[in-house]
Amino acid sequence: DAMVIQNPRYQVTQFGKPVTLSCSQTLNHNVMYWYQQKSSQAPKLLFHYYDKDFNNEADTPDNFQSRRPNTSFCFLDIRSPGLGDAAMYLCATSSTSGVIASTDTQYFGPGTRLTVL
Amino acid sequence: RKEVEQDPGPFNVPEGATVAFNCTYSNSASQSFFWYRQDCRKEPKLLMSVYSSGNEDGRFTAQLNRASQYISLLIRDSKLSDSATYLCVVNSFYGNNRLAFGKGNQVVVIP
């Protein structure tokens, strides 16, 4: 059974046209992450939610926003996609308790491959 | 300096041979270490966690060297299905839940 689900799997958008990618999880994990991965590069963390607390990476462009309306769902909004935003977008979840950084596994969804025309 | 560094390869390995590669990390306070496997155009999947005492899972052995700040992965008796990119992943102890990923070691097992 799928545990981290991403929709759509493939998304084509036009330059400058807003797009939303979605992620849902059945694991009831309290932490959700969004990564951007370009070809032959490491996944790059954009931001993550610890419960409802949003944590943005310092170098994440303002063009990228996120929403987490409840535990199960998290969205990535790209307000004005540029050609350089074409990539695989990976959602991941983990379960963390307390303030100590988690040693728990991050579970990844299958990703959404974004093409910008 | 990057948080996690790996030699991307590719590592061309004859079927049945042994291959090993290292990954270095820059944050001496790092507490958790992992190897993830990523197949072409797929998501990363956890291969194994890396413990201080080293650990083995079938044909895969992981080692941690804190003094020199590197972890290693060894694959014995390579199978064609082992062809993938192996990502070294490190979790910093302080302040957040971030994982830092290396670019990966690409392994190609050749018949």
Side-chain angles (χ1 to χ4, degrees):
Chain A
D1 292 334
M3 295 183 289
V4 184
I5 302 161
Q6 290 188 244
N7 285 304
R9 295 291 308 278
Y10 301 90
Q11 176 72 58
V12 180
T13 190
Q14 292 179 330
F15 183 93
K17 185 175 181 181
V19 66
T20 295
L21 310 182
S22 73
C23 176
S24 63
Q25 53 131 339
T26 60
L27 297 163
N28 203 34
H29 283 171
N30 58 340
V31 190
M32 294 186 76
Y33 309 77
W34 278 105
Y35 291 87
Q36 179 194 65
Q37 187 176 27
K38 297 185 177 181
S39 181
S40 301
Q41 294 188 20
K44 178 182 180 298
L45 182 64
L46 297 173
F47 24 59
H48 74 279
Y49 276 93
Y50 183 106
D51 292 322
K52 295 181 179 180
D53 294 332
F54 178 69
N55 298 271
N56 198 30
E57 293 298 299
D59 57 354
T60 298
D62 292 340
N63 196 27
F64 292 86
Q65 304 286 321
S66 185
R67 297 169 283 135
R68 189 180 186 186
N70 54 52
T71 300
S72 301
F73 285 87
C74 195
F75 299 97
L76 170 62
D77 300 308
I78 309 177
R79 292 191 297 187
S80 182
L83 298 179
D85 297 328
M88 171 81 92
Y89 289 88
L90 294 161
C91 173
T93 73
S94 71
S95 179
T96 300
S97 59
V99 298
I100 297 175
S102 172
T103 60
D104 290 339
T105 303
Q106 286 192 13
Y107 295 87
F108 285 83
T112 295
R113 186 165 295 279
L114 178 69
T115 300
V116 182
L117 301 177
Chain B
R1 183 181 173 187
K2 292 183 179 178
E3 287 191 75
V4 180
E5 299 213 49
Q6 295 181 258
D7 175 0
F11 294 77
N12 295 314
V13 185
E15 191 175 6
T18 296
V19 62
F21 32 82
N22 294 339
C23 147
T24 58
Y25 60 94
S26 61
N27 186 351
S28 59
S30 297
Q31 292 294 315
S32 303
F33 309 89
F34 310 90
W35 284 104
Y36 276 71
R37 171 188 170 135
Q38 187 170 27
D39 292 293
C40 187
R41 301 175 75 86
K42 296 287 183 69
E43 74 275 22
K45 292 184 178 179
L46 180 69
L47 178 68
M48 56 200 304
S49 301
V50 186
Y51 304 120
S52 296
S53 56
N55 47 301
E56 187 174 307
D57 183 1
R59 297 181 293 107
F60 296 84
T61 301
Q63 297 281 347
L64 167 63
N65 185 317
R66 286 191 184 273
S68 301
Q69 293 183 212
Y70 73 85
I71 65 174
S72 64
L73 181 67
L74 181 145
I75 307 174
R76 287 185 300 277
D77 188 22
S78 299
K79 311 292 184 190
L80 296 177
S81 58
D82 295 333
S83 297
T85 297
Y86 292 85
L87 301 170
C88 173
V89 184
V90 175
N91 187 337
S92 298
F93 179 79
Y94 290 108
N96 56 51
N97 306 290
R98 295 174 67 252
L99 291 181
F101 286 77
K103 279 189 174 183
N105 299 113
Q106 185 187 4
V107 172
V108 180
V109 181
I110 303 165

